[in-house]
């Protein structure tokens, strides 16, 4: 059996649930949270909470649309229907570009961990090996992807749960050799580095949450898409609060914030304080699984978005080819080939080409969120007027909260100009990517007007 798109609904509910649970837990939480804490101070908890709130609101908007009209390509289709072809084309290609860059980045990150264990092997060998492994997993079947992601995500989730349990006992003084340490969160004052540092923190952490929306794409290949999306988007609130805000709050309670490592994993340091043997090695293994999970999901997501783009003539026709198992194998290979090129560039030209690939997609998450907000505002208005029965999951406080979410997203984009040089570089390079994609769309539209039988017009 295949879906209307030609793909098979091979993902089971447990796959989709774990994709939803693990989708927001990336290597950046295990490694990058220490740098955020040093930038913001104990108020990093507030930065994660504000960033998480924005993501929760966006996911609620996306959940409303996805339950009303489950679709492969998800928000790309909603943007096209609600805002026009330019929005669908732009969000689709930006999203694809983002994930092929992330695939390469995670392959390099995973290779660094493996080389630390086996120093005699060059990093590029590990990078290519990881790419080949996860490409094969995605080519096998959608269920193969789902099963791989289920177990990789399970490791991440289990690690966070264990950390939350042990950390809570530790800060309450109920762990051996521990004392009550909740007061560490107010050390030097809660907002130790000033109010603007909280905004700086939001700009950094917002990208840690990107990936939560994958579940709405994966749900299109599940046997119960509406149920999967409704459950995933309805439970994101507690997932953000528990996994991110809860973990960071415990980190700054367990250890005085100035003593938390910023270059290595603060989770490894915390497990070390708990007395867990080989804590650093264990957390490194978890970070590796997190990198593989993101790599696996990135290949899946990029290929499905590319597959969806071709339906409107926005990608080459051959992308539509699927194999006997309903897998869009050409879309997977096309997406992963860019990843291979990027991996090679990470060693040939790390400071130029690879830097451009990674940073030119840096602000894409916020562009995607802004278009999702605009799409929901327009789509909700249309559904209420014509098909209100489809609104099985509704955005809170519509339309005011929808507009507030859009404005907050744009504020975060604008704040990237003021926080630091890296954020400015990411914004400028991402704007270049946006301009190029809009330029390509304009050329396609012009060509379609000249040749009506060519590209599908919207």
């Amino acid at each position: 059996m295949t879906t209307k798109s030609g793909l098979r609904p091979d993902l089971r509910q447990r796959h989709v649930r774990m994709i939803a649970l693990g989708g927001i837990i990336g290597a950046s939480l295990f490694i990058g949270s220490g740098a955020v804490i040093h930038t913001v101070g104990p108020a990093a908890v507030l930065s994660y909470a504000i960033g998480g709130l924005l993501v929760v609101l966006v996911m609620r908007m996306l959940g409303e649309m996805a339950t009303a009209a489950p679709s492969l390509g998800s928000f790309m289709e909603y943007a096209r229907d609600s805002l026009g072809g330019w929005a669908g084309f732009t969000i689709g290609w930006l999203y694809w570009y983002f994930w092929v860059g992330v695939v390469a980045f995670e392959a390099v990150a995973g290779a660094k961990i493996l080389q630390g264990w086996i120093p005699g092997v060059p990093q590029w060998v590990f990078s290519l090996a990881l790419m080949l492994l996860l490409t094969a997993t995605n080519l096998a079947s959608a269920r193969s992807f789902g099963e791989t992601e289920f177990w990789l995500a399970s490791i991440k989730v289990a690690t966070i749960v264990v950390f939350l349990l042990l950390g809570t006992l530790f800060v309450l003084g109920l762990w051996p050799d521990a004392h009550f340490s909740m007061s560490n969160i107010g050390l030097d004052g809660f907002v130790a580095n000033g109010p603007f540092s909280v905004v700086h923190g939001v700009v950094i952490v917002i990208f840690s949450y990107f990936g939560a929306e994958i579940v709405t794409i994966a749900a299109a290949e599940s046997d119960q898409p509406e149920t999967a999306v409704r459950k995933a988007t309805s439970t994101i609130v507690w997932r953000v609060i528990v996994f991110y805000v809860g973990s960071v709050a415990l980190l700054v309670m367990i250890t005085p914030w100035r003593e938390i490592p910023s270059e290595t994993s603060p989770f490894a340091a915390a497990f070390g304080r708990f007395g867990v043997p080989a804590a650093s090695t264990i957390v490194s293994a978890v970070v590796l699984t997190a990198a593989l999970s993101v790599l696996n999901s990135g290949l899946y997501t990029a290929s499905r978005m590319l597959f969806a783009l071709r339906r409107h003539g926005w990608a080459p026709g051959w992308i539509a080819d699927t194999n006997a198992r309903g897998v869009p194998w050409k879309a997977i290979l096309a997406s992963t080939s860019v990843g291979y090129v990027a991996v090679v560039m990470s060693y040939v030209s790390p400071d130029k080409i690879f830097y451009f690939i990674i940073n030119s997609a840096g602000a894409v998450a916020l562009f995607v969120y802004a278009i999702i907000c605009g799409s929901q505002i327009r789509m909700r208005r249309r559904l209420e007027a014509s098909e209100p029965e489809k609104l099985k999951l509704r955005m809170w406080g519509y339309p005011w909260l929808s507009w507030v979410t859009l404005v907050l997203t744009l504020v975060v984009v604008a704040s990237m100009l003021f926080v630091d040089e890296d954020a400015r570089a990411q914004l400028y390079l991402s704007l270049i990517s946006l301009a190029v994609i809009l330029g390509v769309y304009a050329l396609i539209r012009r060509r379609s007007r000249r040749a009506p039988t060519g590209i599908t017009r919207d």
Side-chain angles (χ1 to χ4, degrees), residues 54 188 230 250 319 415 449 455:
L54 180 60
D188 300 328
R230 186 167 58 252
L250 282 175
I319 292 294
S415 65
R449 291 191 184 99
I455 299 298

Side-chain angles (χ1 to χ4, degrees), residues 57-79:
L57 293 172
V58 171
M59 283 297 294
R60 184 73 180 192
M61 299 168 83
L62 183 54
E64 177 185 285
M65 295 186 288
T67 51
S71 172
L72 180 72
S74 184
F75 41 85
M76 184 272 287
E77 294 292 352
Y78 310 140

Side-chain angles (χ1 to χ4, degrees), residues 120-284:
V121 179
Q123 276 190 30
W124 66 267
V125 174
F126 285 126
S127 293
L128 291 180
L130 293 178
M131 289 281 291
L132 288 169
L133 175 64
L134 274 304
T135 300
T137 298
N138 274 265
L139 286 172
S141 66
R143 184 172 296 186
S144 173
F145 153 76
E147 200 66 29
T148 301
E149 190 58 25
F150 177 85
W151 291 108
L152 290 174
S154 295
I155 294 172
K156 296 187 295 183
V157 171
T159 302
I160 293 296
V161 170
V162 170
F163 171 76
L164 291 170
L165 291 174
L166 298 186
T168 299
L169 293 174
F170 188 91
V171 300
L172 293 176
L174 302 177
W175 191 256
D177 300 323
H179 61 276
F180 188 83
S181 59
M182 290 183 68
S183 59
N184 281 337
I185 199 169
L187 203 63
D188 300 328
F190 183 65
V191 190
N193 290 337
F196 187 73
S197 68
V198 176
V199 178
H200 188 177
V202 172
V203 171
I204 299 172
V205 306
I206 194 69
F207 304 107
S208 302
Y209 291 112
F210 203 53
E213 72 291 333
I214 290 175
V215 67
T216 63
I217 296 175
E221 288 185 77
S222 72
D223 49 357
Q224 300 176 48
E226 290 185 20
T227 301
V229 170
R230 186 167 58 252
K231 288 182 178 179
T233 54
S234 297
T235 58
I236 190 172
V237 176
W238 72 260
R239 284 183 279 134
V240 166
I241 293 173
V242 172
F243 291 152
Y244 271 90
V245 180
S247 293
V248 175
L250 282 175
L251 285 174
V252 294
M253 291 179 191
I254 292 166
T255 308
W257 70 274
R258 295 186 187 278
E259 298 175 20
I260 293 175
S262 59
E263 299 295 330
T264 57
S265 173
F267 286 84
F271 276 115
R273 296 200 68 170
F274 300 157
V276 176
S280 179
T281 301
I282 292 172
V283 173
S284 291

Side-chain angles (χ1 to χ4, degrees), residues 441-457:
Y441 179 74
L443 291 175
I444 289 176
R445 290 285 291 171
R446 183 179 302 174
R447 183 177 299 176
S448 70
R449 291 191 184 99
R450 293 176 181 174
T453 58
I455 299 298
T456 302
R457 295 178 63 179

